[in-house]
Amino acid sequence: IKQIKVDASSQSEYNIIFKGIPSSPGISFGKAVIIKPEAIISPNLKIDSSLIEDEVKKFLSAREILITEFNDVINSVDINNKSVIAVLETNVFLVSDPLLEEAIISKIREGYSADSAIISEIDSQNQFLRSAKDHILREKSIELDQIKERLIAALRNQYMNYSLDSGSILVTQSLTPTDLIKLHESGLSGLITEVGGISSHTSILARSYEIPEVIGLTEATSYIPDGINIIIDGYSGTININPSEDEIEKYYELKSREQEHKKTLGALVKLPSETTDHHKIKIMANVDFPQDIAHAILVGAEGIGLVRTEHLILSKQQVPDEEEQFIWYNELAQRAYPNYVTIRAFDLGSDKYAEGITKHEANPALGFRGVRFLLQRKDIYAGQIKAILRASKNKNIKFMIPMITRLSEILATKALIEECKKELDALDIPYDNNMPVGIMIETPSAAIMSDILGRYVDFFSIGTNDLTQYTLAADRTNEMVAEIYDSFHPSVLRFIKIIADGASLNKIPVSICGEMAGHSAATLLLIGFGVNELSVSPSALLELKSRIRSTTISEARQLSKSILD
Ligand code: PEP
Ligand code: MG
């Protein structure tokens, strides 16, 4: 990574090129909008005395927002769910604590910004709780930390401008999937982050929204001046700051070639997805929202291989009730009909953090995520299953369980599905009694046991994003291990072959819905291993079809065999 300190005062005179890790393809021209991390997290940020009263107001309004939010959640929880209500009530109690309020306000009056005052006051109260022997006090410390972050988030919402000018290229330390969803709606045209991994959920979203992204550009927020013209090339990972006329022309030329290429791919939409010797490979789309299905079908998707339903929670930071979920799943099923839509249960946790729903953990990727969370929160799980069952009456929904490591998780889920069916029967609500139930294979344990797990499920879907992370012990969101995080490592390839064999032994279909499914170097290998279905972002679908249509299955099998050898 080439890094040169930029003198912002001589903006018009330089043209500098930075190189980061390309994470979402495409070319964009625009103006840089910088979000400096220090503005959000410094505990010592001093402000001008004329701003003190404004900061006090901001704090009080953030506190109000949070109290209202907590009370709204309390009102939406089933009144029988006493333990959840008790936790939420403690939160209201903590955030409304008058002593805390007084301490934060007096810190602001000493000349600190509202976020600095929140951080330093809550941290100092927490110092004693954190090391307490009593576990109840230690738990209170975790809750206080969460309150701190939620207060900062409430403040941030006031600071963070989600309505960017269209054509803005955001330069930030990192971005959560939720922030990206919100920014996408306001016409974000490019993204540069200091940290992150190409398989992080933010990067996956950037690709599916076709927002060019470059990651791993260390200290970009301090080098790139706010408001400067910038070209981001998500193919090569190049950032061109204050580009010259020649550079601009070169990139316009590249962009028009990109558009030409897309047009040639357009001719493939109606052609079948098969090899030249007529071996069919089903190609499907990964979508996040029902309105994305139209685009997927337009480019020839034969179904939806993955809906990450947790986006429903992440975009609102709360769990929608069963009715709201039903409307959403029903719309998915109707828009995809007669093709299947594979709805995955909420895969919260790890880098998909939902304020107040999931917890901060020391090792979130190895923690309370996916089915582990769901089986502890059966209220949330059952609500989702019932909503999905109700939407399944036209028999085109498949249900998928994320983060399986143990057979018991499959059995417990199936038992819960049966209970949900009984509840619907009692109300005379129709559903698909044979709704296929499948699992994500994305952990080494599930991969190695796939021949056995296959007896209990109707399909497998390989999550290569997590399978790579867990096999190679390399965080998918950490640019420092980006080279180690390699889906083409022989261990990952062996696992894929083992899973494909496990599926074939049990005569069930196996698809891949991780990012590897769309990788240009992977297509032959994967179909050669015996994978029958590939599910990719709609933007990658035609390119994938063109690769499938330019090989024979025997060529693919030969290649994957020699690679394994
Ligand atoms: C995966 O792990 O490959 C996958 C598709 O799931 P997610 O990216 O949502 O973790
Ligand atoms: Mg996964």
Side-chain angles (χ1 to χ4, degrees):
I1 297 176
K2 180 176 151 198
Q3 297 213 333
I4 301 166
K5 186 117 186 164
V6 171
D7 176 5
S9 61
S10 59
Q11 280 189 16
S12 57
E13 288 154 30
Y14 70 84
N15 161 223
I16 287 188
I17 294 167
F18 290 104
K19 189 101 174 50
I21 302 169
S23 174
S24 172
I27 292 160
S28 260
F29 303 78
K31 286 216 182 300
V33 174
I34 317 291
I35 299 184
K36 289 197 188 282
E38 302 87 335
I40 297 160
I41 53 170
S42 165
N44 296 314
L45 193 70
K46 283 271 191 178
I47 47 164
D48 191 87
S49 59
S50 63
L51 296 173
I52 286 179
E53 286 317 307
D54 277 354
E55 289 294 283
V56 171
K57 276 193 204 129
K58 277 182 194 162
F59 159 64
L60 288 174
S61 116
R63 179 176 172 274
E64 249 347 274
I65 290 172
L66 210 54
I67 294 173
T68 316
E69 221 178 276
F70 285 149
N71 282 327
D72 285 350
V73 182
I74 290 176
N75 293 334
S76 69
V77 171
D78 181 347
I79 46 166
N80 297 318
N81 207 333
K82 300 238 174 353
S83 55
V84 176
I85 291 181
V87 171
L88 292 169
E89 280 171 346
T90 321
N91 282 341
V92 176
F93 178 74
L94 287 174
V95 75
S96 352
D97 178 2
L99 290 177
L100 182 65
E101 179 189 338
E102 218 171 275
I104 291 174
I105 291 180
S106 72
K107 188 88 188 170
I108 297 176
R109 296 225 155 99
E110 282 170 33
Y112 289 94
S113 70
D115 41 13
S116 292
I118 291 168
I119 290 173
S120 66
E121 283 313 304
I122 296 190
D123 279 353
S124 84
Q125 288 207 5
N126 234 348
Q127 228 175 333
F128 306 102
L129 297 175
R130 249 182 229 130
S131 48
K133 288 219 169 61
D134 184 319
H135 76 95
I136 296 184
L137 289 179
R138 283 200 309 272
E139 273 166 25
K140 189 169 171 226
S141 129
I142 296 173
E143 279 173 29
L144 255 182
D145 267 339
Q146 283 167 356
I147 301 270
K148 176 179 79 181
E149 276 171 34
R150 301 206 54 182
L151 271 172
I152 299 285
L155 273 179
R156 242 182 91 176
N157 279 344
Q158 294 162 344
Y159 289 147
M160 183 145 168
N161 187 2
Y162 284 116
S163 53
L164 298 173
D165 290 339
S166 85
S168 297
I169 293 177
L170 192 69
V171 184
T172 175
Q173 186 187 44
S174 68
L175 202 68
T176 67
T178 319
D179 287 338
L180 187 59
I181 293 170
K182 290 190 180 162
L183 288 164
H184 166 59
E185 286 161 7
S186 72
L188 176 72
S189 75
L191 179 61
I192 297 166
T193 65
E194 296 181 348
V195 299
I198 56 168
S199 288
S200 72
H201 287 96
T202 305
S203 295
I204 292 172
L205 273 178
R207 286 192 287 276
S208 84
Y209 291 150
E210 299 186 37
I211 297 173
E213 183 194 32
V214 172
I215 61 173
L217 209 69
T218 321
E219 294 185 40
T221 56
S222 41
Y223 288 114
I224 302 178
D226 196 47
I228 199 157
N229 285 333
I230 206 166
I231 300 175
I232 168 168
D233 175 352
Y235 293 105
S236 63
T238 307
I239 312 292
N240 207 308
I241 297 169
N242 207 21
S244 62
E245 287 299 317
D246 285 355
E247 290 285 334
I248 294 176
E249 206 168 300
K250 184 182 110 191
Y251 274 102
Y252 268 118
E253 162 70 22
L254 268 180
K255 197 157 175 71
S256 75
R257 272 172 42 206
E258 182 192 44
Q259 275 153 1
E260 278 306 307
H261 178 62
K262 282 187 178 162
K263 269 191 219 148
T264 55
L265 287 177
L268 297 178
V269 169
K270 296 265 178 270
L271 299 177
S273 167
E274 57 181 27
T275 56
T276 49
D277 49 351
H278 308 298
H279 181 90
K280 293 219 178 308
I281 300 294
K282 191 167 181 177
I283 50 176
M284 297 178 294
N286 293 351
V287 302
D288 299 315
F289 295 98
Q291 56 274 28
D292 300 340
I293 292 189
H295 179 211
I297 291 181
L298 204 70
V299 291
E302 300 170 74
I304 306 301
L306 171 65
V307 182
R308 291 183 167 95
T309 58
E310 55 278 6
H311 287 309
L312 196 54
I313 296 178
L314 296 174
S315 58
K316 301 193 163 175
Q317 293 292 300
Q318 64 183 37
V319 182
D321 65 21
E322 185 186 316
E323 194 54 32
E324 195 180 331
Q325 288 188 56
F326 164 69
I327 292 170
W328 208 79
Y329 305 140
N330 202 37
E331 194 182 341
L332 283 169
Q334 284 182 354
R335 288 189 187 230
Y337 193 83
N339 291 310
Y340 265 108
V341 49
T342 312
I343 301 185
R344 183 176 74 182
F346 299 132
D347 183 18
L348 287 173
S350 199
D351 63 335
K352 286 176 284 196
Y353 174 76
E355 286 286 339
I357 301 165
T358 54
K359 291 202 157 74
H360 282 297
E361 300 169 83
N363 273 316
L366 303 184
F368 203 49
R369 72 171 286 199
V371 71
R372 303 170 180 186
F373 167 86
L374 291 167
L375 287 171
Q376 287 290 316
R377 290 296 308 266
K378 284 202 176 145
D379 52 328
I380 294 179
Y381 206 5
Q384 183 174 35
I385 291 171
K386 279 186 274 179
I388 292 175
L389 276 170
R390 286 168 60 194
S392 74
K393 60 180 183 303
N394 291 325
K395 303 187 192 306
N396 72 324
I397 289 184
K398 293 185 184 188
F399 179 79
M400 182 152 78
I401 318 169
M403 259 309 273
I404 290 288
T405 51
R406 302 183 298 164
L407 174 60
S408 62
E409 293 156 345
I410 301 175
L411 300 180
T413 299
K414 288 185 123 185
L416 189 61
I417 294 175
E418 288 314 306
E419 276 174 39
C420 291
K421 285 181 178 176
K422 281 199 193 114
E423 281 185 43
L424 296 181
D425 287 340
L427 298 167
D428 254 345
I429 296 176
Y431 57 86
D432 175 11
N433 196 26
N434 297 315
M435 177 178 74
V437 176
I439 53 173
M440 293 283 300
I441 305 251
E442 50 186 344
T443 60
S445 57
I448 207 84
M449 295 298 290
S450 56
D451 55 335
I452 308 292
L453 299 182
R455 296 178 193 167
Y456 298 87
V457 296
D458 301 309
F459 63 93
F460 288 157
S461 186
I462 308 178
T464 45
N465 307 336
D466 279 315
L467 187 61
T468 305
Q469 152 165 278
Y470 295 124
T471 302
L472 296 168
D475 183 347
R476 61 193 269 187
T477 68
N478 184 344
E479 77 288 353
M480 287 188 284
V481 289
E483 264 187 65
I484 299 172
Y485 179 96
D486 175 12
S487 296
F488 291 85
H489 187 281
S491 58
V492 181
L493 299 182
R494 279 192 181 190
F495 268 141
I496 296 173
K497 174 76 168 90
I498 288 171
I499 302 162
D501 289 347
S504 139
L505 181 76
N506 288 286
K507 300 191 174 48
I508 56 173
V510 54
S511 79
I512 296 195
C513 62
E515 293 301 288
M516 194 183 188
H519 196 298
S520 54
T523 315
L524 293 201
L525 267 182
L526 300 178
I527 65 180
F529 286 151
V531 171
N532 340 94
E533 304 177 349
L534 296 168
S535 191
V536 298
S537 151
S539 56
L541 208 116
L542 288 173
E543 194 81 59
L544 171 66
K545 193 192 270 188
S546 87
R547 287 195 298 274
I548 292 171
R549 289 180 56 83
S550 56
T551 183
T552 63
I553 190 71
S554 51
E555 205 182 325
R557 285 183 185 139
Q558 186 53 44
L559 175 74
S560 42
K561 183 174 178 314
S562 62
I563 295 271
L564 278 187
D565 286 348

